[in-house]
Amino acid sequence: MKNDRETKTLLSEKREAEYVGEDGLRYCGICQEPREKVVPGLLSLFGTDRRPRLCRCQRTLLEAQEQEERERKKQERILRLRELCFQGASLEDATFAGSTVDSPPLERCRRYAEAWAEACEAHIGLLLWGPPGTGKSYAAACVANHLLQQEIPVRMIKLTQLLNCGFREREETLCRLLRVPLLIIDDYGMERETEYGLEITFSLLIAGWNPEGR
Ligand SMILES: [Zn+2]
């Protein structure tokens, strides 16, 4: 990818390679395409009937710049989605490709992420359980990053985050969480067995089950 200065240099170098063709129009010395076109009717208005035209090299350069800009904007959007998803948690960099240790949850999550379109369509979730330290959170974060990379919004929260906030804040947070296609509840531990924990869990599951409720 070229920066602006390199691009300008490239274009000026190419301008030096221009020549005037037999029809009197300027031509590119590299791709031999005209860099001007005749537009009848312009002469009386502007004193010339020539308008600039991009040759093949310039079009290629422009397309590359536009592609670079699209990619830059995409990466910015992904960064914002990632910040929203993890809220500063340390799992931002968890990826299937970057994981060095393979584990059953990781393999299960990999298949889930790869089949996301079907899973989402059929409202299929995934429950990972087991003792601490078996890579469940890491595997779930890998799913999140896999989808975020495709600009699919994901949120990863701990149930305690919801339990510890006030009623109003909790309602607002629940509404926001239910709008994302995939919600990951991490560290779903003992607090689920309290009445309050169960209430919140049911709110999430029931509203999440009905796609119209999103
Ligand atoms: Zn050219």
Side-chain angles (χ1 to χ4, degrees), residues 41-174:
L42 282 187
L43 194 60
S44 56
L45 283 169
F46 300 106
T48 172
D49 57 0
R50 312 267 173 98
R51 298 297 296 154
R53 173 193 183 278
L54 294 176
C55 74
R56 193 167 59 230
C57 334
Q58 288 171 322
R59 289 197 305 275
T60 307
L61 192 65
L62 200 66
E63 278 161 22
Q65 284 174 333
E66 285 170 355
Q67 176 59 30
E68 189 179 355
E69 184 62 11
R70 279 195 296 273
E71 185 58 28
R72 192 184 63 75
K73 284 185 176 163
K74 180 184 169 185
Q75 292 308 324
E76 274 180 11
R77 288 194 301 272
I78 291 174
L79 194 68
R80 274 200 301 278
L81 285 174
R82 192 175 289 147
E83 283 168 0
L84 278 172
C85 174
F86 294 106
Q87 308 272 321
S90 58
L91 290 164
E92 277 193 12
D93 298 323
T95 58
F96 293 116
S99 62
T100 48
V101 184
D102 221 350
S103 65
L106 197 72
E107 185 45 38
R108 187 71 189 82
C109 280
R110 190 199 309 274
R111 279 187 276 140
Y112 183 76
E114 284 167 0
W116 166 250
E118 293 82 20
C120 180
E121 180 73 25
H123 303 287
I124 296 171
L126 194 59
L127 178 64
L128 302 173
W129 74 95
T134 45
K136 299 185 299 296
S137 300
Y138 185 88
C142 288
V143 176
N145 276 317
H146 185 88
L147 301 187
L148 291 169
Q149 205 56 38
Q150 299 162 54
E151 299 188 56
I152 299 167
V154 183
R155 294 285 189 285
M156 188 163 178
I157 57 148
K158 291 182 192 298
L159 194 61
T160 45
Q161 281 172 255
L162 284 174
L163 293 174
N164 294 338
C165 58
F167 176 77
R168 195 185 172 85
E169 191 191 347
R170 192 195 77 185
E171 291 299 302
E172 285 170 6
T173 310
L174 281 174

Side-chain angles (χ1 to χ4, degrees), residues 14 28-33 35 55-58:
K14 285 182 177 172
C28 171
I30 297 163
C31 69
Q32 321 299 328
E33 279 192 11
R35 283 183 170 180
C55 74
R56 193 167 59 230
C57 334
Q58 288 171 322

